[in-house]
Amino acid sequence: MNIFEEVESQVRSYSRSFPTVFTTAKNARLHSRDGQSYIDFLAGAGTLNYGHNNDHFKQPLLDYIQADGITHGLDMYTDAKEGFLNAFTDIVMRPRDMDYKVQFTGPTGTNAVEVALKIARKAKGRTGIVSFTNGYHGCTLGSQAVTGNKGQRSGAVVSLGDVTRIPYDDYGDESDDFMGLKLLDQMLCDPGSGVEVPAGVIVETVQGEGGLNAARMLWLQQLESLCRKHDMLLIIDDIQAGCGRTGTFFSFEPAGIKPDIVTLSKSLSGYGLPFAITLLRPELDNWEPAEHNGTFRGNNLAFITARVALEKYWQTDDFSDEIKTKAKVIEERFQRIIDSSDESMTLKGRGMMRGIGMPNGDLASAVCKHAFKNGLIVETSGSWGEVVKCLCPLTIPMADLNEGLDILEDAFDQVLNKKHDQAKAS
C-alpha cells in the first residue's frame, strides 16, 4: 500500500482504521485484495442504504450508459432528470402532503447545506443562524461554521461567524428537558441579550457524527413552534438520517413537523453516486437565474439510480416495515451488550442508525479495531470518538446482520474483559 502512503494526502481518515485494499462489494459485504470478506456496518458513512452494487439499480444504469444517455448536462433538462423529479414528486412528496421546490446543488451534502443557509439568509434578510452542540453539517465554510466539532472547525483556519449555538436535546443539565430551547426563546425575547433574531435554525434529528444523539419528537415539535414564534426558518439536515435510515423516508416524519428547508444527499442516489438536493418551500424560491451556480448541479447517472430506488423501495410501506424489523434486532442486541457489562454504556440513536456510547474513545476504538480483525467494518463517532456506530445497509440480509452483531458482541467482550484483567493486575 506504499502508493497510498507516499502519494495520498495525510488528511485521509477511514483508510487508517481499515488498512486493506478493497476490490469488490455486494450488498453488505466488502472483499479485499487478500481474499478477506468483511461485513459492512459503515456503508459509506450512510451513503449505501441500499447496499453495494444493488442489482435493481445496476442494470438500468448500464442500459442508460450503453444508450449514450446524457452524462453531464449542467442544469439543462434531460430525460433522466425528468424521471427523477416525477418519481420524487409522486412517490415521496405528494403522499406526505409536502410542497417543496427541488434545488439541485453541488454533488455533496455540504453543498446542500450551503444552499440552505443562503436561502434562509436571503429570505429573511438576516445573517444569523442557530445551530446545536455536537451538530455536523459539512466542511465548506458555511456548513463548517454551523458544525460543533472543534477539530472539524479548526480546519477552516479562518473566522467562522454569524452562528449562535445552543444545547441540543438532552445536553448538559438533564433536570431541564428543554433547556436549550428555553434559553434561545429567552434570549430572543430579551432586548438586552445581545442575540439578534436569526434567519434560521439548522438541526439534525439524529446527530450522526456528533454521537448518535436522537432528538425526541416533542423536542422537535417545540423547536418548530419556536421557529414560528420568532419568524425563523427551520432547516432539517437529513443528509445522514434521511432516505430511510431511521425507518421512514424522512427522519422527521414521526414528529409531524413541516420544515421550511430540507437537505438530502448520501443515499439519495441509491448507488453511492454523488447527488444532493435542497428542498425549499415555494415562497422561498427567490433566486435569480444562476445566482447560485455550479458545474455539477445534478448528476444524470444518479438521477437514474435514484429514480429506481424510489420506485423499488418506497411505493409501499413494505421496505419501511423491513427497516423497523431489523432496527428492533439491532436495538435488542445492543441492549444485551450493554446489560451484560459492568461498564457505564448507553444505547444511542434511532432506527438503523444506532450505536453504543462507551466510557471513552480509546475503548470504542479498540472495539472497532477488534471487530475489523474478525471481519466487521464499523466506526466510531461522538466528540471523543466514544460511540461505536452502526450504519449497516438497510438491505442487509438477516444472516449477515446477525453475524455482524455476533462479531461486534465478541469485540465488546474481548475489549472489556481485557480492561478488567489489566485493572486486576495493577
Side-chain angles (χ1 to χ4, degrees):
M1 295 196 299
N2 287 341
I3 187 65
F4 302 113
E5 295 169 2
E6 292 173 4
V7 176
E8 191 176 0
S9 167
Q10 290 292 327
V11 79
R12 64 188 186 275
S13 59
Y14 291 105
S15 58
R16 299 179 188 275
S17 299
F18 313 114
T20 191
V21 178
F22 297 102
T23 54
T24 61
K26 192 68 176 176
N27 202 347
R29 291 272 181 174
L30 277 162
H31 305 280
S32 63
R33 181 184 291 169
D34 58 7
Q36 295 296 310
S37 176
Y38 296 88
I39 297 172
D40 189 1
F41 274 20
L42 176 61
T47 302
L48 296 163
N49 282 3
Y50 309 99
H52 296 268
N53 291 300
N54 189 306
D55 287 331
H56 296 297
F57 312 154
K58 183 192 296 185
Q59 195 58 51
L61 177 59
L62 291 173
D63 291 344
Y64 182 78
I65 294 171
Q66 189 66 40
D68 292 330
I70 301 297
T71 299
H72 185 276
L74 296 169
D75 70 350
M76 293 186 289
Y77 300 150
T78 66
D79 285 341
K81 180 189 282 189
E82 182 180 45
F84 167 75
L85 284 172
N86 280 328
F88 194 79
T89 300
D90 294 342
I91 299 171
V92 176
M93 290 203 289
R94 281 181 182 154
R96 293 165 176 80
D97 192 27
M98 297 173 71
D99 183 17
Y100 291 100
K101 289 293 191 74
V102 177
Q103 182 169 345
F104 296 104
T105 69
T108 71
T110 194
N111 300 127
V113 171
E114 293 286 353
V115 167
L117 300 178
K118 283 187 179 182
I119 291 168
R121 286 166 167 151
K122 183 177 173 65
K124 295 300 179 184
R126 312 175 205 135
T127 60
I129 299 290
V130 168
S131 65
F132 293 89
T133 51
N134 292 311
Y136 176 80
H137 303 284
C139 280
T140 49
L141 291 184
S143 57
Q144 209 161 20
V146 292
T147 288
N149 186 278
K150 291 181 180 179
Q152 294 285 350
R153 290 166 56 79
S154 66
V157 203
V158 298
S159 176
L160 300 172
D162 289 328
V163 176
T164 299
R165 208 173 316 279
I166 65 171
Y168 190 73
D169 191 16
D170 200 26
Y171 179 91
D173 185 2
E174 297 180 2
S175 65
D176 190 341
D177 282 351
F178 299 94
M179 176 182 67
L181 301 186
K182 290 177 181 177
L183 176 63
L184 178 60
D185 187 27
Q186 181 177 353
M187 289 191 299
L188 294 178
C189 288
D190 181 0
S193 70
V195 176
E196 301 291 341
V197 175
V201 176
I202 186 166
V203 66
E204 304 158 275
T205 67
V206 183
Q207 296 184 318
E209 301 307 308
L212 295 177
N213 308 305
R216 293 164 297 159
M217 299 305 137
L218 181 58
W219 187 89
L220 292 170
Q221 293 163 2
Q222 291 292 325
L223 175 60
E224 181 187 45
S225 296
L226 189 61
C227 287
R228 303 296 171 245
K229 176 180 178 180
H230 293 285
D231 189 32
M232 306 178 293
L233 296 183
L234 176 59
I235 305 167
I236 297 290
D237 181 341
D238 230 16
I239 289 166
Q240 190 165 120
C243 297
R245 177 53 60 180
T246 63
T248 51
F249 187 84
F250 294 104
S251 69
F252 54 82
E253 289 182 54
I257 60 176
K258 298 284 188 182
D260 300 292
I261 303 170
V262 181
T263 62
L264 287 172
S265 184
K266 286 198 180 283
S267 282
L268 182 61
S269 79
Y271 206 72
L273 300 172
F275 186 27
I277 61 175
T278 299
L279 307 179
L280 61 155
R281 287 194 287 105
E283 60 268 30
L284 301 175
D285 189 23
N286 298 316
W287 295 108
E288 295 295 328
E291 190 175 3
H292 182 88
N293 215 332
T295 305
F296 295 98
R297 287 174 296 146
N299 178 340
N300 280 271
L301 301 184
F303 290 152
I304 298 298
T305 53
R307 172 185 59 78
V308 177
L310 297 177
E311 292 172 348
K312 171 62 183 175
Y313 291 103
W314 294 103
Q315 298 212 64
T316 70
D317 292 333
D318 291 349
F319 186 54
S320 182
D321 291 340
E322 179 185 332
I323 295 169
K324 291 169 186 174
T325 297
K326 292 174 182 175
K328 187 65 175 176
V329 172
I330 296 170
E331 178 182 350
E332 290 174 351
R333 291 291 300 272
F334 277 17
Q335 192 61 56
R336 189 170 85 184
I337 292 171
I338 293 168
D339 292 341
S340 64
S341 174
D342 294 332
E343 294 289 338
S344 176
M345 299 193 294
T346 55
L347 182 64
K348 308 279 289 185
R350 180 158 61 89
M352 288 182 72
M353 191 174 182
R354 282 290 193 178
I356 295 178
M358 301 194 72
N360 57 66
D362 289 340
L363 285 176
S365 179
V367 166
C368 294
K369 186 175 181 179
H370 190 283
F372 180 67
K373 288 180 180 179
N374 289 280
L376 178 69
I377 296 173
V378 63
E379 70 166 335
T380 63
S381 71
S383 300
W384 296 277
E386 77 283 5
V387 178
V388 177
K389 176 185 180 185
C390 172
L391 288 179
C392 57
L394 307 181
T395 56
I396 187 171
M398 195 62 77
D400 283 350
L401 176 59
N402 281 312
E403 183 179 344
L405 291 170
D406 288 342
I407 295 171
L408 192 58
E409 185 171 1
D410 178 68
F412 272 92
D413 287 342
Q414 295 298 321
V415 169
L416 295 178
N417 285 337
K418 181 179 179 181
K419 179 191 174 186
H420 293 155
D421 290 343
Q422 289 173 341
K424 288 178 181 178
S426 61

